[in-house]
Amino acid sequence: MALTRRTLIGSMAAGSALATLPDLTAPAPATAASPPGDVVGKITVGYQGWFSCPGDGAPIGGWWHWSRDRFQPPSPANTTIVSWPDLRDYTHGYTTAYPDLGNGQPAQLFSSYDQQTVDTHFRWMQEHGCDTAALQRFNPFGDEGPTRDAMTVKVRSAAERFGRKFYIMYDVTGWTSMQSQIKQDWTTKMSAHTASPAYARQNGRPVVCVWGFGFDDDGRPFAPAPCLDVVQWFKAQGCYVIGGVPTYWRQGINDSRPGFGEVYRAFNMISPWMVGRTGTLDGLDWFHTNVNVPDLADCAAHGIDYQPCVMPGDLSAGHRRHGDFYWRHLYNLTRLGAQGLYVSMFDEFNEGNQIAKTSETQASTPAGAGIRALDEDGTACSSDYYLRITADGGRMFKGQLPLTPVRPTPPVTGGGPPPSGNLAAGRPATASSQHGPYVAGNAVDGDRGSYWETTNNAFPQWWQVDLGAGHPVNRLVLAVPAGWEARTQTISVQGSVDGSSFSTLVATTGIRFDPATGNTATVALPATPTRHVRVTVTGNTAWPAAQLSQVEVYAAGGTPTPPTAPGNLTVTGRTATSVSLTWSASTDADGVAGYQVRQGTTTVASVSGTSTTVTGLSPATGYTFTVVALDPAGTSSPPSNAVTVTTDPAAQTDLARGRPTAQSSQTQSYGSANVVDGNPDSYWESANNAFPQWVRVDLGAAGTIGRVVLRLPPAAAWSARTQTLSVQGSADGNGWSDLVASAGRRFDPATGNQVTLTFPAASARYVRVHVTGNTGWPAGQLSQLEVYPA
């Protein structure tokens, strides 16, 4: 059976979201082909709604989409999911065969067929700025058809109840009679739902999406003519038609079949797929420059709206970086000027890229099952964190928040530490105004390098935090970034129990911030029961605005003792774009919650252990790093010793990255485009038991080359193997000569499952790897083919 777009993406090395960013100068936003509607100017989320459980009444029966064998309960050996939902908002759960949760409670899952589940999801959408839901609809003429029909009714009801929009998104995967049956389904069933006030409309027309035309795999073998017929038919029905298309639709290469240009440009809106294409920040930036920017220009030239896919990242593969991956994607596509955003996905627990509420820790995850919770990289995140990021990203997309590459959403907002700690850490913060990306939340994020700053020349200004409950607050610690010059800010402090009526706790006074004393100041308060603390600023001797990088609030009886400084910070490795560091652990009476690696005053990595690799750096550039430890209340230690290191010179550019490919054959969806996508976990595999086989790349122009790097996926599951292969070059793709003679090449996971081959400088436009044997599998296999100049 052909793999679908839900094929899991493999893990990639984690890195820092705030590592040095490239020059991200935003192009002028393209003019939208359509005015704002229910998809243009809106945040759309993909909604599966495809989970069912025995006893929920769903016609399909069993553990639909929870288990491989849906007639047996899900367990570690019988599962299709890689993430675990947080069930606290659901009224009913279904007990599985997974081990109990870490907290001893039974491991239960939800059913999408329960109306309360759908209502809960759409309430979350309402609360977090998700405007429109794209309801997935697969071949309804199979056994899932009746359940899908019923789910449409449930989604319509919830959308109407919670003021959201929805539209039908047909997925044509495996639908062999698609051309006639999709028309029949729309005419006899789905078009009736357009009468709902909740059904999405754009340009006054009901929205419908068709996902899967043009993909180069066995599951979607349709020729261009029937696909174009379907698009034109829907438009003739008066619909606004969105195309869920391959990543490389515009060029007709890699994941896109050639010859589909007329089909793609018949759509009213283009929404290219991105899941599985990258799991790194550098990868997102590469796609922005090399794919998104020219995609948008092409759409603008043809009067098509552009709705790129935005991803939170695969939690199971460690891509999320506690929200920084998702924010970078939201930021890149907002600065691009896209007409709409498609979040993939809302409830996709099968591939780990869901934004719906997810287990926070192993205490709420089946014990020993190997499923990652949101704190998988050592950073505590509330279960609703990715919904909250979606809300903030939506506001940025709509111009309600300033465009910023710095994530404004704190990982945790609820609960709060005990009264002996910093009560303000991670709590909701607001302000009278903010300047650019310097938002109120920066003063409670634990990062001394980020800060809140108000509109200039407009005193008075105020900053406020909600502690979540009343406490006998008796002390504030205020700070500005450690490297700033001395200044005095004129400040008063007010408190409130209800957020409406405030009383003065400290009268107006000048507060001195001096780098000689750490640019911090302690303000004593009367021990007054307070929930809302407000700091009002009426003057600043160094800048015509209020500025605070940290506000810590303590209650009577609490005396925070910071952790000891990390010791022996050492550089353990470097490349052109990364530096690896290690240090000795800190100690603290309440335990050490984690560490922040800082470059000057900017936090570039947050980790739970005593080593990390800072990525995204510039080649041949000097950097200075320190490390601080944080206790559970967010109190930071003194900095470690500083280390200064210069990155290596720039590495040579991989000439094959993203270029057109071809192959002698492929198995299922393991096509040749996978060898140039930058993802080490995707791969090309030829037909089995049919040597010889080959895969090739077109470099676009003849050039002098001298080295190729061949890779297999690095996971240990790819056991060592020897492939007999040669490397060939060609000027025209017809006549070939050997660059490297045929020989056995050893791929071993102990050495990264890669082989580097050098050869005398040669001119070639086409490079081909010719495989005649493989001791590990009866086929040719490569995950990456990299080509470098001589």
Side-chain angles (χ1 to χ4, degrees), residues 5-90:
R5 58 180 163 142
R6 289 159 190 85
T7 301
L8 300 181
I9 50 180
S11 59
M12 290 188 174
S16 162
L18 298 184
T20 304
L21 285 169
D23 180 11
L24 301 182
T25 304
T31 301
S34 303
D38 291 337
V39 288
V40 172
K42 296 299 192 293
I43 302 297
T44 299
V45 295
Y47 189 67
Q48 302 286 22
W50 63 3
F51 297 106
S52 71
C53 307
D56 62 5
I60 197 167
W63 296 91
W64 188 41
H65 282 283
W66 289 125
S67 296
R68 281 194 174 89
D69 177 357
R70 76 171 189 258
F71 300 110
Q72 298 297 323
S75 67
N78 180 37
T79 189
T80 64
I81 62 171
V82 297
S83 290
W84 197 262
D86 177 0
L87 256 63
R88 288 176 293 185
D89 284 5
Y90 301 89

Side-chain angles (χ1 to χ4, degrees), residues 363-551:
S364 54
T365 309
I371 296 176
R372 295 192 186 203
L374 290 180
D375 67 346
E376 50 89 23
D377 69 352
T379 300
C381 303
S382 62
S383 66
D384 66 348
Y385 180 37
Y386 287 86
L387 292 168
R388 292 188 289 107
I389 294 178
T390 304
D392 287 342
R395 285 191 283 269
M396 180 174 67
F397 177 73
K398 297 169 186 175
Q400 298 162 1
L401 287 179
L403 180 67
T404 172
V406 180
R407 170 178 48 80
T409 317
V412 177
T413 60
S420 61
N422 173 19
L423 300 168
R427 297 298 305 168
T430 54
S432 54
S433 71
Q434 62 189 35
H435 177 63
Y438 309 114
V439 298
N442 289 350
V444 292
D445 64 359
D447 181 359
R448 280 285 303 277
S450 68
Y451 58 94
W452 163 66
E453 181 175 294
T454 67
T455 302
N456 292 349
N457 302 299
F459 291 116
Q461 298 283 349
W462 56 262
W463 177 95
Q464 182 175 315
V465 62
D466 178 0
L467 305 179
H471 298 281
V473 172
N474 72 341
R475 181 163 56 92
L476 301 185
V477 177
L478 309 178
V480 297
W484 285 12
E485 71 275 14
R487 67 201 61 211
T488 296
Q489 297 194 64
T490 305
I491 287 173
S492 62
V493 181
Q494 296 80 37
S496 171
V497 295
D498 60 7
S500 298
S501 177
F502 285 83
S503 60
T504 298
L505 304 180
V506 175
T508 300
T509 186
I511 302 295
R512 181 71 171 172
F513 298 88
D514 194 321
T517 56
N519 264 343
T520 63
T522 299
V523 180
L525 311 174
T528 305
T530 303
R531 172 173 174 170
H532 303 268
V533 176
R534 175 179 290 184
V535 178
T536 299
V537 184
T538 56
N540 185 342
T541 61
W543 198 258
Q547 298 169 313
L548 290 171
S549 68
Q550 201 68 19
V551 179

Side-chain angles (χ1 to χ4, degrees), residues 276-287:
R277 300 305 184 250
T278 185
T280 68
L281 304 177
D282 288 347
L284 292 176
D285 294 338
W286 186 89
F287 273 99

